[in-house]
């Protein structure tokens, strides 16, 4: 059985919000579900904790198993998110920095699964 991590594709007017972890990899904001939470509640809480911004959690984008480091796998579930209020991030100590990136300028290293979730979000937004 794999641990579950709920991640969000958060798009601001300037681009997609990503966080850099202690391994110097870029990732989507989010984290683990706590007892009694829905995945959507978890994601809204995690983004508030990691960035200090409120979001509205939208559609399910993807799910897959991701090998974080050799031998350690996590089941990732991603949702699209809309900013609720202003974007004035305050980064937590869980990450080293954040960035906002245009779809055509996503940074490296960014795992393929996160890129696919971002592409899924962009496709949904184009179709809206």
């Amino acid at each position: 059985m794999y641990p579950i991590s709920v991640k969000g594709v958060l798009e601001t007017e300037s681009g997609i919000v990503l966080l850099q972890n202690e391994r110097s990899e870029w990732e989507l904001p989010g984290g683990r579900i706590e007892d009694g939470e829905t995945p959507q509640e978890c994601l809204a809480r995690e983004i508030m904790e990691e960035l200090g911004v409120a979001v509205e959690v939208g559609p399910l984008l993807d799910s897959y198993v991701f090998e974080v480091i050799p031998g350690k796998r996590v089941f990732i579930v991603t949702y699209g998110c809309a900013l609720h209020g202003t974007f004035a991030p305050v980064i937590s100590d869980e990450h080293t920095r954040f960035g906002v990136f245009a779809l055509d300028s996503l940074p490296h290293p960014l795992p393929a699964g996160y890129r696919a979730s971002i592409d899924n979000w962009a496709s949904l937004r184009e179709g809206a």
Side-chain angles (χ1 to χ4, degrees):
M1 184 130 89
Y2 301 116
I4 299 169
S5 185
V6 183
K7 299 288 189 170
V9 178
L10 173 58
E11 186 174 12
T12 69
E13 290 180 8
S14 302
I16 302 296
V17 178
L18 297 172
L19 297 165
Q20 195 171 55
N21 63 31
E22 70 280 354
R23 295 181 308 279
S24 296
E25 298 168 337
W26 290 99
E27 63 183 7
L28 297 170
R32 306 257 172 108
I33 298 174
E34 293 182 356
D35 285 342
E37 279 185 322
T38 66
Q40 295 87 344
E41 290 168 339
C42 166
L43 186 53
R45 175 186 52 77
E46 284 284 345
I47 291 175
M48 179 57 77
E49 289 175 3
E50 293 176 350
L51 289 164
V53 297
V55 298
E56 182 178 325
V57 178
L60 176 68
L61 299 175
D62 204 356
S63 63
Y64 55 93
V65 175
F66 173 58
E67 189 169 33
V68 179
I69 57 173
K72 182 179 179 188
R73 292 175 179 82
V74 176
F75 185 72
I76 303 284
V77 179
T78 58
Y79 289 86
C81 295
L83 188 61
H84 188 70
T86 59
F87 184 67
V90 177
I91 192 166
S92 75
D93 60 1
E94 293 181 52
H95 295 91
T96 57
R97 64 183 177 145
F98 79 94
V100 180
F101 301 92
L103 289 173
D104 61 355
S105 300
L106 296 174
H108 295 280
L110 179 66
Y114 293 155
R115 284 183 184 275
S117 292
I118 292 167
D119 289 343
N120 289 346
W121 179 243
S123 293
L124 279 176
R125 303 282 283 154
E126 288 173 7

